[in-house]
Amino acid sequence: MRFRLRVGRTFPLFVVGLYCLLSLCACKRQNPNLQSSSNQEETFKRIQEREAQLDSTVWRDEILAQEYEKTFTKLADDFRKAEDKLDVLAGFEFESIRIPAAKGSPVNYDLEIRLQAFDEAAPGVSLNRAGWQKGSAQFREAGWTLLQVEWQHEKFSPATGSHAPYSEFAFELHGEQTAQSNRFILKGTMGIEWFATTNADGWHNPRNITISKLSLLERTGPSGFSNQLLAAPDPSFAAEVDMHPLIVTDINGDGHDDIILAGVNKVLLNDGRANFHTVALIKEENFYPVRGCGLIADFNGDGKLDFVGVPEMGPFAKMLVLYPGDGLLPFKSPPIAAWDQQRTAFQSYKFQDASVITAGDVDHDGDLDIFVAQYTPPYVGGQMPTPYYDANDGFPSYLLLNDGRGHFSLGKPQMALQAKNNRRTLAASLVDLDFDGSVDLVTLNDFSGVDLFYNDGSGHFRDETWRVDNRHLFGMGHCFADFDRDGLLDFLAIGMSIPTVRRLEFMKAGRNVFPERTRKRSDMAYGNRLFLARAGKWIEPEFGEQLARSGWSWGATAFDLNNDGKVDVYIANGHVSGESATDYDSRYWTHDIYLGSSKEDPQLKRYLDGPLKGLNSGKTSWNGYQHNALFMDVGTNQYINVAFLMGVAHESDCRAVVGADLNEDGKPDLLVTEAKWIGTPNIMQHRLIVHLNQLETGNHWIGVRLDSTTKGVSPIGAKIWAKAGERSFVAEIVTGDSFQSQHPNIAHFGLGKAGRVQELKVLWPNGKVSTLKDPAIDTYHRVSP
């Protein structure tokens, strides 16, 4: 869910004057239908009274749950602010806590990771506050420190005649023992029996705490990844800085993948050892800032990489532009308005909020066509996505066909695409879903989920979303990989896992007059969904649940972090982290999903502005202070989250993610953008952090770097296979996946202990096949069509 709580723009005065004049004329024409000020006030009061009445009836138990939750919100806030975080936890007030005993010996996994299970049936240990404080002191004396904490309020029951109020919180603690290079993740569930009355400070204190579902992950050794801040705004700069799209590709043809921060017109040129120096992407006088989406590829067929995007301002504002490349940096040629219809009928086709561009040869004519989708943020003007689980009420998307010279025109209207043309789309890829040699289309849509459109080979699409087990989620991004190792590409759709919804479901709280909105909330709040390609359908396997709950998720990459031949996944999390972890989320699920429509409503906006005030001012959060997830496959599709153990957890709001081997040592690295708020979520500054993979495993690997300088043949859409023993590896070069980012034209396969690859094969989009027999391992092979 991406939205702007307020929209601010700077326009020339004459534009403002013209706008006001037109608005006045419109008001005069529409005057008979306008409400008087007294009617508007009456409407506003009715909304207030109705929602307040619902809080005292339908949502009574949820309101009470929020009161009890404040105790742990305050604990989390105090924890983050404290220098001695252990002291905060040691001082937490309760009567008793029961902790289960360890069960057997730890299970050892690769990379020095140990998993200790606990036995809930055993007597365990019961501690009063004095015993808890003594244990905390012993923990400190052993050299351990606490660094991060996360709570999620999953269940709540109010007091009844014989039962005290009760909550269940999922929790996760991160800490380290610096002298021994040990890190740990302690996670489990706290069952809390509350005191019936508040303390002298007005807080609810836990009486008895019972720990269950406890596990302890530990790792000894140096951090798995380095942590390098590679690009950030000047601290004195107080305006918005949007670096996106984050693009990794070999921009200057020297064989090394560079980092392009297109939103700020920067290229970080790589020397092949992850040493960078900065140059401009586009000659400064020709550059107009883009926001969020853009691609680098050869769009005009001359064998040189170009940039296509949508500027926010300037003479080409809201237009698709092509910056032709000549093989040198910066690009010297001025931008070209690339879409024919925008040049002749701009107002009919201008972009309002372009959110993603994906490329592929849709009609098999040898050039790159593109699909451009848009996003419509909720709340603006008092409109809300309707229905929130299947919204099709945003700005339109467009399939644009290339003439081979970088000039695009609107494809013929297609029923399947038109029917879902107004999704609030955040990610999309042209990719071969049915393995027939033609690129199909997958879109990830906020407030609706996954849509699939299959291409018949001529550029005509049909809606095949029925093939997906459950399409519903808040679609933010996706990634492709062969998760079940059957030689076919699967995909992971990234969404949101929402504890508020699990709590409401437990309480069976919902508005009966909107049964469908209540019924769909579990599907939408499930989290990430893994889809395996099976017999023409996309099924959700049981093991996919292990990847579902990562938080409020954005960008993602599927890669093999330790070259053991298994797919691992890194996911960026966190929405808006304010001064306090006090969360807006309950308000959204108890009120906002039932309010409004796709049309703007001034009185509803006025009402919503009240609850949003804390968020708008940076005082409170919405799914804030979450941690990024690194799901490592430690068995056969047995995933554990090792992000903190590897040094990539990030207690911040992260967005774009790219996996790439920046120092070319065969170990995939990670790039992630992090959002920093300046007093309000309306002013966001991004910074780029690079994590270089430092793991030493002894496993083998092989890589393929696809040449992008051959005239008329792009690597985008190419498929790559590797045959190693009985195992077949597969990859495809796609764009528009993850979130506001672009991966390099590289395939990387971890081989484990396998010492030989029999064959490496590339199927290019034009049908040509490049084959390498017995290629060398532990190296990258540059392959040209």
Side-chain angles (χ1 to χ4, degrees):
M1 192 187 300
R2 184 181 72 119
F3 64 91
R4 298 181 193 139
L5 302 178
R6 296 196 188 108
V7 179
R9 291 288 188 271
T10 301
F11 296 103
L13 288 177
F14 79 89
V15 176
V16 175
L18 179 62
Y19 176 80
C20 292
L21 178 62
L22 293 174
S23 299
L24 180 62
C25 293
C27 288
K28 288 180 178 179
R29 289 194 303 269
Q30 298 170 4
N31 190 55
N33 298 322
L34 293 178
Q35 288 184 314
S36 68
S37 59
S38 60
N39 287 340
Q40 292 173 8
E41 191 65 28
E42 184 179 334
T43 300
F44 175 69
K45 287 182 177 178
R46 278 202 305 268
I47 297 174
Q48 281 186 312
E49 291 169 358
R50 181 191 64 213
E51 298 305 306
Q53 194 269 339
L54 289 168
D55 276 343
S56 65
T57 54
V58 174
W59 308 120
R60 180 187 58 195
D61 290 349
E62 172 59 15
I63 296 297
L64 190 58
Q66 292 295 298
E67 287 298 312
Y68 283 90
E69 184 177 305
K70 287 179 181 178
T71 298
F72 281 91
T73 300
K74 181 179 184 301
L75 179 63
D77 291 345
D78 292 345
F79 186 92
R80 283 193 316 277
K81 296 172 185 175
E83 290 187 14
D84 188 338
K85 301 181 186 302
L86 181 58
D87 191 53
V88 173
L89 209 58
F92 186 56
E93 295 185 18
F94 58 87
E95 190 171 281
S96 71
I97 183 170
R98 181 185 178 276
I99 305 171
K103 183 178 182 180
S105 300
V107 177
N108 295 311
Y109 296 118
D110 289 344
L111 309 181
E112 304 293 327
I113 295 172
R114 304 175 298 281
L115 175 62
Q116 176 66 62
F118 291 80
D119 187 357
E120 296 176 24
V125 177
S126 291
L127 300 173
N128 57 20
R129 280 203 67 213
W132 174 257
Q133 291 172 334
K134 181 180 179 181
S136 299
Q138 293 171 340
F139 186 84
R140 189 196 311 277
E141 290 168 5
W144 291 97
T145 57
L146 285 178
L147 298 177
Q148 298 171 348
V149 65
E150 191 172 325
W151 324 102
Q152 294 182 351
H153 196 179
E154 303 270 353
K155 295 180 180 179
F156 177 76
S157 298
T160 60
S162 58
H163 296 283
Y166 176 81
S167 289
E168 284 189 8
F169 283 80
F171 70 89
E172 191 165 317
L173 302 176
H174 298 163
E176 65 180 0
Q177 191 181 32
T178 307
Q180 283 73 35
S181 298
N182 291 337
R183 282 196 157 201
F184 75 86
I185 301 171
L186 185 68
K187 62 187 302 184
T189 299
M190 295 185 295
I192 298 174
E193 178 188 299
W194 299 92
F195 279 107
T197 58
T198 58
N199 63 17
D201 296 323
W203 297 96
H204 294 275
N205 282 346
R207 182 173 185 178
N208 300 314
I209 301 175
T210 301
I211 304 298
S212 61
K213 301 177 184 176
L214 190 63
S215 66
L216 175 64
L217 272 176
E218 293 183 276
R219 181 174 183 268
T220 303
S223 178
F225 289 82
S226 70
N227 190 330
Q228 180 182 1
L229 176 62
L230 208 57
D234 187 301
S236 64
F237 192 63
E240 185 173 36
V241 177
D242 190 345
M243 295 179 173
H244 300 129
L246 169 64
I247 299 172
V248 180
T249 195
D250 180 7
I251 190 69
N252 60 351
D254 65 355
H256 310 306
D257 283 324
D258 311 299
I259 303 171
I260 296 92
L261 305 174
V264 291
N265 196 29
K266 299 298 181 186
V267 177
L268 307 181
L269 286 175
N270 185 4
D271 68 355
R273 298 182 297 276
N275 299 311
F276 300 92
H277 73 275
T278 304
V279 299
L281 171 63
I282 295 160
K283 194 175 179 181
E284 283 296 335
E285 55 263 39
N286 292 333
F287 176 73
Y288 301 101
V290 298
R291 183 191 181 102
C293 68
L295 283 182
I296 288 180
D298 179 12
F299 290 101
N300 57 14
D302 64 355
K304 304 292 192 299
L305 293 177
D306 314 306
F307 175 71
V308 65
V310 179
E312 280 284 291
M313 57 187 69
F316 297 98
K318 306 298 184 182
M319 298 182 72
L320 182 74
V321 300
L322 177 74
Y323 286 93
D326 59 3
L328 302 174
L329 289 171
F331 291 2
K332 295 180 177 60
S333 298
I336 299 168
W339 180 10
D340 292 342
Q341 280 86 351
Q342 283 187 327
R343 291 198 298 268
T344 58
F346 172 65
Q347 289 301 327
S348 298
Y349 295 102
K350 76 173 181 178
F351 293 110
Q352 301 293 336
D353 194 352
S355 54
V356 62
I357 302 175
T358 183
D361 187 359
V362 167
D363 48 8
H364 287 284
D365 64 352
D367 54 38
L368 287 177
D369 309 302
I370 60 175
F371 176 81
V372 186
Q374 302 195 76
Y375 187 82
T376 305
Y379 295 97
V380 176
Q383 55 78 31
M384 297 292 286
T386 307
Y388 77 94
Y389 53 85
D390 196 21
N392 190 30
D393 54 3
F395 301 130
S397 56
Y398 301 97
L399 178 65
L400 304 177
L401 303 180
N402 192 348
D403 68 355
R405 299 186 301 277
H407 300 129
F408 295 89
S409 59
L410 191 63
K412 293 181 179 179
Q414 299 189 28
M415 184 180 298
L417 298 180
Q418 289 296 113
K420 296 179 177 179
N421 194 49
N422 294 87
R423 294 296 200 198
R424 302 181 186 223
T425 305
L426 287 175
S429 288
L430 289 166
V431 57
D432 189 359
L433 294 170
D434 56 354
F435 322 113
D436 67 349
S438 298
V439 290
D440 309 301
L441 176 64
V442 55
T443 65
L444 269 291
N445 311 289
D446 202 2
F447 302 102
S448 58
V450 178
D451 285 322
L452 302 183
F453 303 95
Y454 282 18
N455 185 352
D456 67 1
S458 66
H460 185 269
F461 291 87
R462 62 186 185 276
D463 191 338
E464 298 288 331
T465 308
W466 64 270
R467 297 176 183 271
V468 175
D469 267 0
N470 188 332
R471 56 175 294 271
H472 289 290
L473 76 161
F474 291 104
M476 312 297 283
H478 56 284
C479 54
F480 295 93
D482 181 7
F483 284 88
D484 58 349
R485 308 171 210 172
D486 65 351
L488 299 175
L489 277 182
D490 313 303
F491 75 96
L492 178 67
I494 305 301
M496 303 174 197
S497 173
I498 307 295
T500 297
V501 170
R502 295 193 286 274
R503 184 171 65 248
L504 292 172
E505 288 292 302
F506 176 77
M507 293 188 290
K508 296 181 173 57
R511 291 186 62 179
N512 293 331
V513 294
F514 296 106
E516 192 68 2
R517 298 189 193 190
T518 300
R519 189 176 70 83
K520 287 294 186 181
R521 66 189 179 191
S522 286
D523 282 346
M524 291 297 292
Y526 174 80
N528 312 315
R529 294 188 183 275
L530 177 62
F531 298 107
L532 302 183
R534 295 281 177 84
K537 293 187 178 181
W538 298 93
I539 64 106
E540 289 188 84
E542 287 187 9
F543 73 81
E545 187 175 357
Q546 301 169 64
L547 300 170
R549 294 188 180 182
S550 55
W552 187 309
S553 301
W554 299 83
T557 188
F559 70 124
D560 188 347
L561 78 102
N562 57 342
N563 285 325
D564 65 351
K566 293 174 283 192
V567 176
D568 310 301
V569 181
Y570 184 66
I571 302 175
N573 294 306
H575 186 206
V576 177
S577 298
E579 292 180 22
S580 170
T582 301
D583 199 352
Y584 183 84
D585 206 46
S586 177
R587 188 82 195 183
Y588 176 78
W589 288 102
T590 56
H591 292 274
D592 297 3
I593 67 169
Y594 301 103
L595 290 172
S597 69
S598 305
K599 296 181 179 179
E600 294 188 359
D601 184 332
Q603 299 314 310
L604 182 58
K605 178 185 181 301
R606 180 184 171 192
Y607 171 76
L608 291 169
D609 281 348
L612 286 167
K613 185 177 180 180
L615 195 64
N616 264 327
S617 62
K619 302 296 183 183
T620 58
S621 301
W622 195 347
N623 284 79
Y625 300 103
Q626 295 184 344
H627 302 98
N628 292 355
L630 173 52
F631 292 110
M632 176 184 171
D633 188 353
V634 296
T636 302
N637 298 127
Q638 180 184 350
Y639 289 95
I640 57 176
N641 183 1
V642 299
F644 179 75
L645 301 184
M646 294 296 165
V648 293
H650 285 266
E651 191 172 71
S652 56
D653 302 323
C654 294
R655 294 294 183 262
V657 169
V658 171
D661 185 2
L662 295 174
N663 55 4
E664 300 172 20
D665 61 356
K667 297 178 294 189
D669 309 309
L670 294 170
L671 300 89
V672 58
T673 59
E674 189 177 69
K676 293 292 182 182
W677 312 105
I678 306 179
T680 165
N682 301 292
I683 303 178
M684 177 170 53
Q685 292 187 346
H686 291 109
R687 60 184 195 169
L688 172 67
I689 296 175
V690 168
H691 297 288
L692 296 181
N693 190 331
Q694 302 176 143
L695 297 169
E696 299 296 338
T697 66
N699 290 329
H700 296 296
W701 58 278
I702 193 168
V704 182
R705 180 183 297 276
L706 300 188
D707 182 30
S708 59
T709 62
T710 301
K711 291 184 178 181
V713 184
S714 172
I716 293 175
K719 301 184 184 69
I720 304 98
W721 292 272
K723 178 72 173 176
E726 297 300 314
R727 175 81 184 275
S728 290
F729 297 85
V730 62
E732 184 169 344
I733 305 299
V734 300
T735 58
D737 54 340
S738 191
F739 172 81
Q740 296 188 347
S741 56
Q742 181 180 348
H743 280 75
N745 301 323
I746 285 181
H748 172 278
F749 303 119
L751 302 174
K753 302 305 178 185
R756 176 175 176 249
V757 170
Q758 295 100 302
E759 183 180 80
L760 195 60
K761 185 168 69 172
V762 178
L763 174 61
W764 296 87
N766 65 356
K768 183 176 180 179
V769 177
S770 301
T771 303
L772 300 179
K773 296 291 187 180
D774 287 311
I777 62 172
D778 299 329
T779 191
Y780 287 100
H781 297 269
R782 190 179 183 97
V783 180
S784 300

